[in-house]
Amino acid sequence: MDAVTPTGPQTSDAHSHLVQPQNMEWQKTRFPGCEAKTLLFDRTTGLMTALMRFAPGSVLPDHEHVNIEQTYVLEGSLVDKEGPAKGIACKSGEFIWREPNSRHAAWCPEGALILAMFQVPNKFFEADGRVVDATGADWDETWGHTSKG
């Protein structure tokens, strides 16, 4: 596995990787009001676990979960703003997971701190018709190899 974790102390077991988010800086994303601390990222498969922090009122725009996505809300709430599950709110202390190919926009009315786990990076749908990943890179060029069909 070509997994990337932040540098820092590790246990003596080479198969265990200790990540200390309290010592990491929040990284801005291209989405206003959204910052992340990437805890695990596999550049080959796209597997990722991240702490994500959302400012009050921030929105994660129209996107599709290519494979199963899991979210545990530590603080605040994550609300489906658009899509088939519009209005569903996952609040502090609750867990939500989404099936492959589910599509929505997410909103954090009072802000949120979440632990998010993705098997494959999300597809984001741009107004100009492009389909990109969270960094703005063309999704098919970057992650098409991870599709199951």
Side-chain angles (χ1 to χ4, degrees), residues 24-146:
M24 297 169 62
E25 297 291 325
W26 286 102
Q27 301 298 312
K28 290 186 181 202
T29 70
R30 67 187 192 98
F31 307 109
C34 175
E35 300 174 311
K37 292 184 180 185
T38 302
L39 307 177
L40 168 70
F41 180 58
D42 184 331
R43 294 183 194 281
T44 302
T45 66
L47 176 73
M48 183 174 83
T49 301
L51 277 174
M52 299 180 73
R53 181 169 70 179
F54 295 90
S58 58
V59 173
L60 199 56
D62 184 19
H63 63 280
E64 176 183 302
H65 300 285
V66 177
N67 211 328
I68 292 172
E69 178 255 358
Q70 302 174 74
T71 301
Y72 182 76
V73 177
L74 298 161
E75 298 173 3
S77 65
L78 185 66
V79 180
D80 278 43
K81 185 175 175 117
E82 300 170 4
K86 183 176 179 176
I88 289 181
C90 184
K91 299 174 185 168
S92 181
E94 295 179 334
F95 174 82
I96 190 167
W97 67 275
R98 301 183 194 280
E99 294 184 13
N101 305 310
S102 60
R103 185 171 170 175
H104 70 134
W107 173 48
C108 299
E110 68 265 4
L113 178 64
I114 68 171
L115 178 65
M117 294 151 277
F118 305 92
Q119 293 177 312
V120 176
N122 292 337
K123 289 182 178 180
F124 287 88
F125 301 92
E126 302 291 301
D128 63 6
R130 291 179 304 126
V131 180
V132 299
D133 67 9
T135 68
D138 180 272
W139 195 93
D140 284 328
E141 287 179 15
T142 308
W143 301 108
H145 68 279
T146 64

